[in-house]
Every structure is written in C-alpha cells, then in structure tokens.
Amino acid sequence: MKPITMEEYMEYYLRKNFELESKNASEEALKKWRDAVWLVKNPRRRFRMVADLNKRAEADRKRQDIQEKIRIALYVQKAALQFIDAVSIKSDYKLSDKVREAGFGIEPEELQSINRSRNLNTLDAHGGVKGFAVKLKVSLNDGVLSKNVPVIQDIYGYNRVKEKPMKPFWMFVWEALQDMTLIILMVCAVASVGVGIATEGWPKGMYDGLGIILCIFLVVMVTAISDYKQSLQFKDLDREKKNIMVQVSRDGSRQKVSIYDIVVGDVVHLSIGDLVPADGIFISGYSLTVDESSLSGESEPVNVDAEKPFLLSGTKVKDGSGKMLVTSVGMMTEWGRLMLTLSEGGDDETPLQVKLNGVATIIGKIGLAFAVLTFLVMTARFIIVKAVYHEITKWSIADALTLLNFFAIAVTILVVAVPEGLPLAVTLSLAFAMKKLMNDRALVRHLSACETMGSASCICTDKTGTLTTNHMVVTKIWICDEAKEIGNEENGGKALKSSLSENVLSTLMHSVFHNTNAEVVKDKNGKINIMGSPTESALLEFALVFQGDYMTQCKKAKIVKVEPFNSIKKKMSVVVALPGGGHQAFCKGASEIILEMCDKIVSRNGESVPLSEEQRKSITNVINGFASEALRTLCLAFRDIGTSNSYAENIPEDSYTLIAVVGIKDPVRPGVRESVETCLHAGIKVRMVTGDNIHTAKAIARECGILTDDGIAIEGSNFRDKSAQELEDILPKLQVMARSLPLDKHNLVKLLRNEYQEVVAVTGDGTNDAPALHEADIGLAMGIAGTEVAKENSDIVVMDDNFKTIVTVAKWGRSVYINIQKFVQFQLTVNVVALMTNFVSACVSGSAPLTAVQLLWVNMIMDTLGALALATEPPTDELMQRPPVGRNVHFITKIMWRNIIGQSIYQLILLGILKFNGKRLFKLHGGDSLSVLDTLIFNTFVFCQVFNEINSRDMEKINVFRGMFDSWVFMLVMVSTVAFQIIIVEYLGTFADTVPLSKELWLASIMMGAVSLPFGAVLKLIPVSPDEHPQHDGYEQLPSGPDLA
C-alpha cells in the first residue's frame, strides 16, 4: 500500500532508509542510512558522535596486522627455543645510573623484552620469578611497599596507554563554523557590508551585514560551548568505563587498587573472568588458563603454569586462579601498542540518532524547496515591479543589495528549515542521562543502551546480589543426622562445637579451609578481612568462629590440584597431599549434585559409613526444607584417594563421603518488592534466572513479588527438554528458572527476543553470562560481583548490584525517549511556522517579515537552547505508569502530529492577521509603522515559541507547569531567551532590524504568545486514534490492580 498522508510517508521513508538495530547493527545498515542522509549543513558537527566506518576499517586492519605479528613472533620463539639449551646474561649488560641509584637490578626494556619474547632461558638466567622479585626489591608474599610506588612509577612507567588528546575548545568553535549555510551567510554579510557602505555610507551601510555576523558569532559560541561540555562528560564517562579494580598484595595485605595504579613488582591475584592488568610472570596457582584472542587472534585458551609462566596484558582468565608478578605496564606492553588502534572509529550511533537524521533529511528537503521558492517569488515580484515602472533596464547598487538580501533570507530559511539539532539533541539527552545515572550508580558503556532501556518489556534478573544483599551468613547446618540453628555467631559456634566429636569437627573445618578460593587477610589496622565471593566468605566466617588451629594446619598442607567453581559444574573440588602420605579430595557445591556423588556419610564419631536410600531421601527433604526457608544450600564432602594418581587428569566425581548440608541466608534487598511492583505497573515483566535450588528460588521470588499464584517456576534441565510447542505454552507465564546454566539464560533471551518480539534486559555477573549479555537488547553486568569479561560484554554496569538501580535506568531510558519526542514536536512546529510565514508573506507582499538576523536567533532558540531545555528534563514517576515503547512503533505519533498541526495553525493565523491587518488592529501610523509592525510580528513569533516550549513539556497532560520549577536547566533557558529577546528588540535594533516597542505592544506580544497555553490545553482534549500497530506507542495508560502480574 502506497503512503498517503505526510505521517505515513515519513514513517515509510524512515523504515526504509533509517532503521537500525540497537545492538550489533550490520555494516550494510550503517552504510545505508549514511547514503540516505541528504543536505547536511555541517557534517563535522552532525556526525561527530557517529562511527567513522573508514577509520574503523583502517583500525581493524592495523589491529589484525599487529595480532599477526604477535602470533608469528610466538611461533618463531617456540621453534627457536627448542634449539637453545641455556642463556646467560650478557657480560656487558649494564644498568643505567637511574636504575642503579634507585636500588633496582633490571632495566624496564629488559623486562619488556623477556615478556615479549617469552624466553624461559633468559628468565632462568635472571633467577626466574624469584630473581625478578629480588631485582625489583619486592616480596612475592607481601608485594610492593606503598612508599616505593612513586620511585617504581618513575623508572618503570605508569599503567596507562596513550589516548588521543581531547580536542581544545577552539576546535569546537572551528567545527561549528563549518556550517555550509553559515559560511554562505557570512559571505553575504561581508558583501552586504561592502555594498551597504558604498550606497548608504559609513556607518549606516554596515549595520545589516554586521548584524548577521554578530548573530552568527553568537550561534557559533553557544553551539561550541554546548558541544564542548558534552565532550567533557563523555571523556569522564569513558575514563570511568576503563577503571578496573584489581586485587593485589601490598604492604603485606591483600587489597583492591585501580588498574591505573598497578606498578611493576605488584603481586596480582587472578581468578575466572579477570582481565590481566599488565604483563607479568606466573608465581603460583591452579588450573590457570588464559584467553589470548584479544592479542593474538588465537581462540584456543593457553595454559599458564611454572613451565609457561608468561602472562600478557589485556588477556582474560578463562579458568582457574593464580598470582602473577607484574613486569611491564602501560605502553611497555603489547596491549598498550594495540590499544592505540582500538579507539579509532568511535562507537556505533544509536537508533534514535539515525531516525532523527532521517527526520532532518525529510524536513531539509522540504525546507530547501521552500527556500528556493521564496527566493524565486521575491525576485520575480521585484523584477515585475521594475518592469511595471519601466525600470527593467535600470539597475543600481541598491537593487543588487535588495537581491542579496533576498538571497540571505532564502539561505536563512534553509538554516532554520534543516533541523541539524535533531540528531544532536539525542546525544545531548543521552549525555545528560548518562551523567545522572553515574550518580545513581549505573555506568552506561554504550549510548544506545540508555535509549533502548526505555523500551524494555522484560527483565531477566539474577537472584544473588541483585535481588538479595549478597551479604551471606550461615544460619543452619545439618550434620550427623541433625539440623542445627546457627544463631549468634559466638554462641552458635560454641553450641555446635559441644555437640560434635573432635573428629567430625576436624573433618568439617578441613573441608572448609582446604576447599576455598577465599583468603583470610589482615588490613593495615590489623583487622581480619575475608577476600573472596560472598558464599566463600560466609563459610570462612562460620569456620573462624571455632577456636583452634585448623586454619594453621590447613596452610601447612600441600594442595596439589584445584578445580575452581564455575556455573556449569556448580561445584569446587581440591586434592590435598596429607602429611602422613596419601591424598584426600574435598568437594562442595550445589546440594543435589554433591549428594548424588556421595555413597557414604560421616557418622557421629567421624567415620565414613554407607549412605542408605532412606537417609538419602531424608537429606533431600532437609535440603528442600532449608531451601523453602529461602536459604542457599551447599553440601560439603570428602574422599580418601590414597597414593593413586587418579586425580592427575580430573578430580574423582564419585564415592564421596557427605559431611554436612549448610544453609546460607542471603536477605532480600530493601525496596526490591516495591521496585518489582513498579516494573509491573510499567508493563515490564520480571523473570528470575538463577543457579540456585528451585525451592530457594521460589521462596525468594515470592518474597520479591516476582512469583505469583499462576506463575510458572521450572528448572533449567526441564527448560532444555521442552519442545517448541511446550515452550510456547509456558513462556508467557514463566517467572522463575532455577538451577539454570548460562546456556539456558542465553536461549531464554533468544526466544523472548525472536519469537515474542520482547525488548529484553538481562543481568549477569559471571564469565559464562557473556553470551546472554551480548545477545540481549540491554546487557546489565554487576559492578561488585561481576567479572571483567561480563562487564566487557555488557551495555550498562550496575555499580551497586541493586535491582532498584535497574529500575532507575529504565526510568531514565523512558525519559530520554519522551524528551526527544518533546523536542521534535517543538522543533517541527517552529519549522512549519517559520517556513510558511516567510513563504506566504513573500508571495503576497514581496518581503519576508522575519529578517536573516531574526531567523538566526529563532534557529538558536529552537536548536541549541530548545534541546537544552527539553532534552534534559529529569524523569518523573509517571513515566513508570505507562507501557514500554515497543519495537518498530512510530516515533512521531498521532498525538505529536495533532499538537504540531494545531499549534502551527494557531501561530500561522495569528502571524497572518498581524502581517496583513496589524497596522489597523494596533492603530500603527507614521513613517516607522512598518518597522514597528515587523518588530511586533517577530516579538510575537518568539513568545509563541517560548510558550509552546512550555506546552511541549507534556504532550498529553493539560498541566504543563508540573515540575517545571524543579528543572533548573529549563528555567535558565526560558529566562535567558526572554532576557535576550528584550535586549534584541530594545537595544540591538540597528543590527536586528527591530525598533523599541511600547509597553502595550510588549504586553500584546506576550499575551498573544501565551494563548498557546490554553489553545494547547484545548488541543489535548481532541481524541486521537491509537497508532495501528500491535505494540504500545508509549502513551496509552496501563491498567492497574492485582491482575498486573
């Protein structure tokens, strides 16, 4: 069906040429809209926040070249080292005076060379990692001394990579001056000054041209200041994005420091999902594997151990854990060289930016047609008048000045007509929202996410840490056929200790202290802290209550193999060499998984006895009972291995002895239930996806208000086994998925997006959550519990891991979308009125009532100042009473068209009456009556825009003043606009072609403009049929009540 109305044509044109996915947009789509953009006044400014595809392609080529060189170098080194038996340090190797005086024994270039070449023989010649530690004056246990950090940084450098320097302010001024129409106007202004002085003399002849130049200067300065401030905001956010916290040993204690503060000699602790913060040498660890694809392009993980000890900056820990000694930082690393190319090309543009580029293109085409027609009509009338008076052959400099003025007016109409500010308003609004969200503990990594979050119709959230506090405490334990409450830590510990035999207690304590990746450390003040995950911390806190030397004994034992916890196996295992010979394996993890591995149980005297089926059922009931009380349950088990090497490849997974079932309380965060209710009111469905026991998940989900009586809760294994038809039946009511694997979360997100057209936000904290975070419309990584891999694949980092923050992001996302719609409505109204007024007046009277200077001022009101006022309005709670904006809805809605057309008609009629009947209505006489009338028209037109800007604050509600005085930016823009309008009319008439107005005419101008308010209120009473689209348009009110869930 061919488009008929303007609205339908616009939507058809935008869908055809300016449609873009919010994430992972194809190269073809990015090129398509660029080719469709037409009549761009200032490409450098308009496309400043748009990806440069040519630079990006060039950066990709550079990166691939560097990766290829690194890969070839690694292969050559591996081959060469097979033929080199030993290397000694060169006899002529000398230290520089600076290094020697500081007391160090190795040059930074030598460290860089060894790590880059991965030369084990050279490393051994320096005494291995211990030799490096001696030469760097650090302890492999205690780490760097804080007092030595400045000296180390002075010699070995800072852990920062070179960044492109920020553009100075004058560059933004220069970019604003690249506007094609402003350049033409400046040429016209200079010509006008020359011709004016020749005809009218000095200084009168220069006023018209000088007025245009001064107005251009004002427009350029306001634009440059606005752009410069935005650039500063993005720079701060970009710096925050790259600031990663790293665990190091310093001054004898384990602590977190910024990646920027890492120095050569630091002992860094690495675990699954961490980013390697600098080049370094492996000290110790277990099953450490690293993904080097970011550097070498090789997807195969690399094992790191004493025989392959080299770690490279920018790589990611795939599995295991370990410690490394930092040997090179910043630009001395391979990653530093590579990072120089990574920032080239910029981020992808957002869907709203692209859509508004389309709107600007359409309006620009119409504006160009009107500008050309206006010039032709005024020129034709001028020539016809000359012909009528038989002066067609007589041409003077004054006639040339008149034609030049016609051309300047036509160009200025084009300045106003091409809404260059539309796409830039999106950037302004997003920059403002991102800054505010940073204060609200959400770091937006990709601009489009802030925008897309306003359309989210479903949130798939984790349980632990997001809905709960992530501060875990052991509150119950089942051991020796008896469930016990652990109340007050000290009293609970004493009661438990007195009820258990020494053998049982010893086994329990060894299973906790041996099988953990957490660490008990002392801070600078001597206070004991536990560094590790909340679950591990809870178990260690519980174990530390028992007085004894269990931890000391465990430290003496040698751990020979570790299989760290991951979200697929849902367990952690270790093998320990016993002092008296033989080995013992300890295992802990998801209760039902560990219970399935056990065929024995610890008796009251500490011996292993067979586990009967009756006991197994009884323990299962205990686990379910704990889980129903919203406790996270873990089973602890052990197995004697003897002297066999059966653990060499994998730690055994059967024949274990069950020690205990532990119940850990993780309270629901305050305010989560209210936040979930807010989501339901806002039409956002909340689904919990967790790795926990289904009974625990259901109990927490009910407490949060997620699981309702008719809702469905299933386990990941059941979800995987469902057919497509069965999934179609359960998905609409699916509210909880427990014991899920990362793949389950990924598949759920794909189903919801592709089959149900939902806009899905998903939370994740683990390395294995990366595919789901990448697949979702909005990936939300946890700032505290999240790994660096998860954060890197996310769009927004929730800094406090709080579900309430996610709801705040959704509110701001909606605010961005609505604010841009308000601005578009306001700007299109100004466009229509300015174009039609000048065109009709030119056709009828042969002159335009609004001069070039006046139109430039109007352009600034509607462009930069209008964007500042409307695009930065803070969100209101009412935004969360509406449904989300669905996929593929009309951006310019019928409600907006009603307001645009209604206000345009009022303003055109008003200005038409003033133009053709104003002298009679206001009894204007005398030689300056025409100047007074034109000034009155200009003044009335500006006040119509001022009051229409207030009108645009709410596109539906009659009360547009609500919250207006709380928005200081809006009030500042309003006051500044009115103040400057008074100055232009009363004091700058020489340049702006205005004359001072009487109090009566000022009052009349303001009153006629103010009529826009009641007129707008009447317009909003006119019913509008909803857009014919299956999705919500963002304005229809949602039902409320108990049926919401």
Side-chain angles (χ1 to χ4, degrees):
M1 185 180 78
K2 290 184 179 178
I4 302 166
T5 65
M6 176 65 182
E7 178 199 356
E8 288 172 334
Y9 170 74
M10 189 173 275
E11 285 301 327
Y12 164 78
Y13 183 80
L14 292 176
R15 293 254 173 95
K16 183 182 175 186
N17 299 297
F18 294 90
E19 198 72 37
L20 194 74
E21 285 290 320
S22 60
K23 263 179 96 169
N24 311 319
S26 67
E27 193 83 1
E28 185 185 355
L30 293 171
K31 285 178 179 175
K32 186 178 181 181
W33 82 261
R34 283 165 172 75
D35 294 337
V37 170
W38 189 76
L39 195 65
V40 179
K41 295 189 296 182
N42 188 347
R44 287 183 70 166
R45 181 170 183 252
R46 176 105 158 244
F47 301 130
R48 192 177 70 249
M49 298 303 294
V50 168
D52 187 324
L53 298 184
N54 292 329
K55 276 189 178 179
R56 185 182 285 181
E58 181 62 29
D60 283 340
R61 280 195 294 274
K62 283 182 186 175
R63 184 161 55 248
Q64 285 167 10
D65 288 345
I66 293 172
Q67 286 178 333
E68 185 64 25
K69 286 174 185 173
I70 292 171
R71 188 161 55 244
I72 291 170
L74 292 179
Y75 286 142
V76 170
Q77 286 147 18
K78 284 177 187 174
L81 290 174
Q82 291 177 2
F83 301 98
I84 301 172
D85 294 328
V87 172
S88 59
I89 300 173
K90 294 177 184 177
S91 57
D92 61 345
Y93 177 75
K94 290 182 180 179
L95 294 174
S96 65
D97 293 340
K98 189 176 180 181
V99 172
R100 190 171 52 255
E101 285 168 11
F104 298 117
I106 191 165
E107 291 285 335
E109 291 76 17
E110 177 75 356
L111 285 170
Q112 180 191 25
S113 171
I114 293 169
N115 225 74
R116 184 176 287 178
S117 65
R118 298 192 177 196
N119 193 327
L120 270 174
N121 295 311
T122 310
L123 174 64
D124 290 340
H126 280 282
V129 70
K130 289 180 180 176
F132 272 1
V134 171
K135 291 180 178 184
L136 291 170
K137 294 204 308 184
V138 297
S139 159
L140 294 179
N141 291 322
D142 297 341
V144 169
L145 295 174
S146 295
K147 65 180 183 181
N148 293 338
V149 167
V151 179
I152 296 171
Q153 287 177 327
D154 182 47
I155 291 172
Y156 295 99
Y158 292 80
N159 197 29
R160 295 172 189 266
V161 296
K162 282 183 184 173
E163 293 181 358
K164 281 190 348 188
M166 188 179 161
K167 286 192 292 190
F169 175 71
W170 68 264
M171 277 295 293
F172 289 92
V173 175
W174 176 249
E175 282 187 1
L177 278 168
Q178 302 305 302
D179 190 312
M180 176 186 67
T181 50
L182 291 184
I183 292 168
I184 294 169
L185 276 178
M186 280 188 279
V187 173
C188 290
V190 171
S192 175
V193 169
V195 175
I197 291 172
T199 54
E200 298 178 43
W202 175 273
K204 189 180 177 185
M206 72 168 191
Y207 288 147
D208 286 348
L210 192 59
I212 294 173
I213 291 170
L214 288 174
C215 212
I216 288 171
F217 174 76
L218 184 66
V219 168
V220 166
M221 290 309 294
V222 170
T223 301
I225 290 167
S226 174
D227 292 349
Y228 182 64
K229 287 190 73 177
Q230 276 183 54
S231 183
L232 287 175
Q233 287 179 339
F234 283 120
K235 191 77 175 173
D236 290 342
L237 288 165
D238 192 51
R239 193 178 294 113
E240 192 62 38
K241 256 191 310 197
K242 294 173 183 173
N243 188 14
I244 297 165
M245 298 309 291
V246 182
Q247 287 200 17
V248 299
S249 289
R250 273 196 191 172
D251 301 320
S253 65
R254 191 162 158 181
Q255 52 191 269
K256 286 185 179 180
V257 299
S258 165
I259 191 170
Y260 299 130
D261 296 330
I262 293 289
V263 296
V264 168
D266 261 327
V267 175
V268 175
H269 298 259
L270 299 170
S271 55
I272 296 176
D274 283 350
L275 187 80
V276 179
D279 286 357
I281 306 290
F282 176 84
I283 299 171
S284 61
Y286 306 101
S287 310
L288 187 63
T289 57
V290 175
D291 175 9
E292 292 186 348
S293 59
S294 56
L295 267 181
S296 66
E298 294 284 352
S299 57
E300 194 67 33
V302 176
N303 292 318
V304 179
D305 51 33
E307 295 185 4
K308 296 179 184 174
F310 298 102
L311 288 143
L312 296 176
S313 174
T315 57
K316 300 173 191 74
V317 179
K318 193 89 173 169
D319 203 356
S321 61
K323 292 198 297 183
M324 78 169 210
L325 177 73
V326 174
T327 56
S328 293
V329 293
M331 294 308 297
M332 299 290 281
T333 66
E334 293 287 354
W335 182 249
R337 290 171 58 215
L338 192 61
M339 279 298 286
L340 283 176
T341 66
L342 289 179
S343 58
E344 292 292 328
D347 290 332
D348 280 348
E349 49 274 21
T350 76
L352 261 185
Q353 281 176 320
V354 173
K355 201 164 276 187
L356 290 182
N357 267 295
V359 173
T361 299
I362 295 168
I363 304 298
K365 288 178 179 178
I366 297 167
L368 179 63
F370 271 92
V372 172
L373 275 173
T374 304
F375 177 71
L376 292 176
V377 167
M378 287 195 294
T379 305
R381 279 184 64 96
F382 179 72
I383 292 170
I384 290 167
V385 169
K386 284 184 77 69
V388 167
Y389 288 98
H390 306 292
E391 295 177 356
I392 194 72
T393 57
K394 298 173 185 176
W395 290 86
S396 63
I397 294 177
D399 292 335
L401 190 61
T402 303
L403 288 174
L404 188 65
N405 192 40
F406 290 165
F407 183 70
I409 288 169
V411 173
T412 313
I413 286 174
L414 195 60
V415 172
V416 178
V418 179
E420 201 89 324
L422 283 182
L424 298 168
V426 180
T427 311
L428 178 68
S429 188
L430 288 170
F432 181 75
M434 286 169 74
K435 186 179 178 184
K436 292 294 183 184
L437 279 170
M438 193 68 205
N439 297 335
D440 288 335
R441 310 298 297 142
L443 173 64
V444 179
R445 297 185 74 253
H446 299 131
L447 270 178
S448 58
C450 193
E451 184 182 293
T452 312
M453 195 65 194
S455 302
S457 57
C458 168
I459 298 174
C460 295
T461 176
D462 284 334
K463 174 187 75 67
T464 306
T466 310
L467 299 172
T468 60
T469 60
N470 215 15
H471 181 71
M472 300 190 188
V473 180
V474 175
T475 58
K476 278 194 170 185
I477 185 169
W478 179 93
I479 190 166
C480 299
D481 280 324
E482 195 176 343
K484 301 176 188 293
E485 292 271 356
I486 309 293
N488 174 278
E489 280 189 5
E490 194 174 331
N491 293 336
K494 285 179 181 177
L496 182 62
K497 188 175 182 178
S498 63
S499 65
L500 298 176
S501 69
E502 180 57 32
N503 284 345
V504 172
L505 189 60
S506 177
T507 304
L508 175 63
M509 292 299 104
H510 281 89
S511 73
V512 173
F513 286 121
H514 279 311
N515 191 15
T516 183
N517 60 10
E519 193 176 336
V520 180
V521 297
K522 287 184 179 180
D523 62 16
K524 294 174 183 176
N525 302 318
K527 183 184 173 186
I528 288 179
N529 287 320
I530 298 173
M531 304 286 282
S533 71
T535 307
E536 296 278 15
S537 298
L539 286 171
L540 279 183
E541 278 178 19
F542 161 71
L544 287 171
V545 170
F546 299 94
Q547 300 299 318
D549 60 348
Y550 302 113
M551 189 165 70
T552 310
Q553 290 174 22
C554 291
K555 280 185 177 179
K556 290 178 181 175
K558 184 184 177 186
I559 295 177
V560 293
K561 189 169 181 64
V562 177
E563 285 183 0
F565 179 89
N566 65 48
S567 51
I568 297 172
K569 293 179 179 178
K570 298 194 184 299
K571 63 183 177 67
M572 177 182 178
S573 306
V574 298
V575 174
V576 180
L578 299 174
H583 296 85
Q584 205 166 41
F586 291 96
C587 190
K588 71 176 177 202
S591 302
E592 58 270 37
I593 293 172
I594 304 300
L595 181 59
E596 190 66 33
M597 293 164 57
C598 296
D599 58 7
K600 293 179 282 297
I601 188 170
V602 171
S603 66
R604 288 186 179 277
N605 59 9
E607 295 177 356
S608 296
V609 297
L611 178 65
S612 66
E613 279 305 311
E614 190 177 331
Q615 283 177 308
R616 192 180 292 275
K617 286 178 184 175
S618 173
I619 295 166
T620 302
N621 290 335
V622 168
I623 292 167
N624 293 340
F626 281 11
S628 300
E629 295 175 38
L631 299 180
R632 166 175 271 198
T633 62
L634 293 176
C635 279
L636 308 177
F638 79 96
R639 171 182 164 174
D640 289 315
I641 298 177
T643 55
S644 72
N645 285 329
S646 59
Y647 59 84
E649 289 299 322
N650 291 301
I651 297 174
E653 297 194 354
D654 57 11
S655 304
Y656 277 82
T657 301
L658 182 68
I659 303 168
V661 179
V662 178
I664 300 173
K665 181 72 175 173
D666 186 11
V668 171
R669 283 183 183 271
V672 163
R673 189 177 183 88
E674 291 79 5
S675 297
V676 170
E677 283 178 13
T678 301
C679 286
L680 294 176
H681 279 281
I684 304 171
K685 190 156 191 173
V686 183
R687 293 179 168 93
M688 181 200 284
V689 184
T690 178
D692 261 348
N693 180 298
I694 190 163
H695 298 289
T696 307
K698 284 163 76 173
I700 295 286
R702 284 199 182 92
E703 195 175 339
C704 294
I706 294 172
L707 185 60
T708 56
D709 293 338
D710 62 342
I712 294 174
I714 63 170
E715 290 189 325
S717 54
N718 294 338
F719 176 77
R720 291 192 290 277
D721 294 339
K722 298 283 183 190
S723 65
Q725 182 58 49
E726 287 173 322
L727 284 173
E728 196 175 317
D729 294 337
I730 69 161
L731 266 183
K733 290 188 176 181
L734 179 63
Q735 292 170 345
V736 176
M737 190 194 295
R739 283 290 182 244
S740 67
L741 299 177
L743 186 63
D744 299 327
K745 188 187 280 189
H746 182 251
N747 289 336
L748 176 63
V749 171
K750 277 178 72 175
L751 270 171
L752 291 170
R753 288 189 75 223
N754 301 334
E755 301 299 323
Y756 292 86
Q757 295 302 300
E758 298 249 28
V759 179
V760 183
V762 66
T763 69
D765 52 18
T767 304
N768 292 315
D769 287 326
L773 291 168
H774 190 264
E775 175 68 29
D777 293 283
I778 311 103
L780 299 149
M782 300 298 106
I784 299 170
T787 62
E788 289 310 317
V789 172
K791 291 174 190 174
E792 198 174 80
N793 282 275
S794 71
D795 304 295
I796 297 171
V797 179
V798 182
M799 307 294 279
D800 59 359
D801 292 13
N802 196 338
F803 187 79
K804 282 174 72 176
T805 305
I806 298 170
V807 178
T808 304
V809 175
K811 190 193 288 187
W812 270 103
R814 291 183 175 202
S815 177
V816 166
Y817 193 87
I818 296 290
N819 284 349
I820 298 302
Q821 285 185 313
K822 292 176 191 175
F823 177 62
V824 169
Q825 176 185 296
F826 168 69
Q827 192 165 49
L828 292 188
T829 306
V830 184
N831 275 84
V832 170
V833 177
L835 286 177
M836 293 303 295
T837 300
N838 270 16
F839 176 69
V840 172
S841 178
C843 291
V844 176
S845 67
S847 64
L850 300 174
T851 66
V853 171
Q854 291 166 2
L855 280 171
L856 281 171
W857 168 234
V858 168
N859 179 64
M860 197 163 74
I861 291 173
M862 74 171 192
D863 195 326
T864 309
L865 297 178
L868 270 172
L870 292 170
T872 59
E873 286 259 88
T876 63
D877 291 336
E878 285 184 1
L879 289 173
M880 299 304 280
Q881 301 292 324
R882 298 170 169 176
V885 180
R887 291 187 193 274
N888 305 319
V889 295
H890 291 187
F891 177 71
I892 303 179
T893 63
K894 284 184 168 66
I895 286 171
M896 291 169 69
W897 281 116
R898 175 196 67 192
N899 296 340
I900 292 165
I901 293 166
Q903 287 288 349
S904 299
I905 289 170
Y906 165 69
Q907 291 184 27
L908 285 169
I909 291 171
L910 174 64
L911 296 175
I913 291 170
L914 288 177
K915 176 67 180 173
F916 301 111
N917 214 13
K919 284 186 182 181
R920 187 181 63 79
L921 286 173
F922 289 97
K923 299 181 176 58
L924 301 176
H925 307 291
D928 66 343
S929 59
L930 185 61
S931 297
V932 173
L933 180 63
D934 283 346
T935 303
L936 180 67
I937 291 171
F938 167 56
N939 210 34
T940 304
F941 177 68
V942 168
F943 276 102
C944 280
Q945 307 326 315
V946 169
F947 286 105
N948 190 37
E949 203 161 349
I950 297 171
N951 245 329
S952 299
R953 289 190 70 249
D954 199 306
M955 292 176 282
E956 290 180 275
K957 296 244 169 64
I958 290 172
N959 182 7
V960 291
F961 295 103
R962 185 176 176 186
M964 187 175 84
F965 297 102
D966 296 331
S967 177
W968 68 269
V969 177
F970 187 90
M971 291 306 300
L972 183 64
V973 169
M974 290 291 99
V975 172
S976 302
T977 305
V978 172
F980 207 76
Q981 178 65 16
I982 293 169
I983 293 168
I984 286 174
V985 171
E986 295 295 320
Y987 305 107
L988 298 178
T990 310
F991 302 104
D993 286 329
T994 60
V995 293
L997 297 177
S998 65
K999 290 178 183 177
E1000 292 76 16
L1001 291 179
W1002 268 104
L1003 184 62
S1005 297
I1006 294 169
M1007 293 304 292
M1008 286 185 286
V1011 171
S1012 295
L1013 294 175
F1015 187 78
V1018 172
L1019 276 178
K1020 289 168 186 174
L1021 297 175
I1022 300 171
V1024 175
S1025 60
D1027 290 315
E1028 294 177 9
H1029 200 276
Q1031 295 281 356
H1032 291 294
D1033 66 0
Y1035 297 99
E1036 180 189 337
Q1037 199 72 13
L1038 269 174
S1040 58
D1043 296 332
L1044 270 172

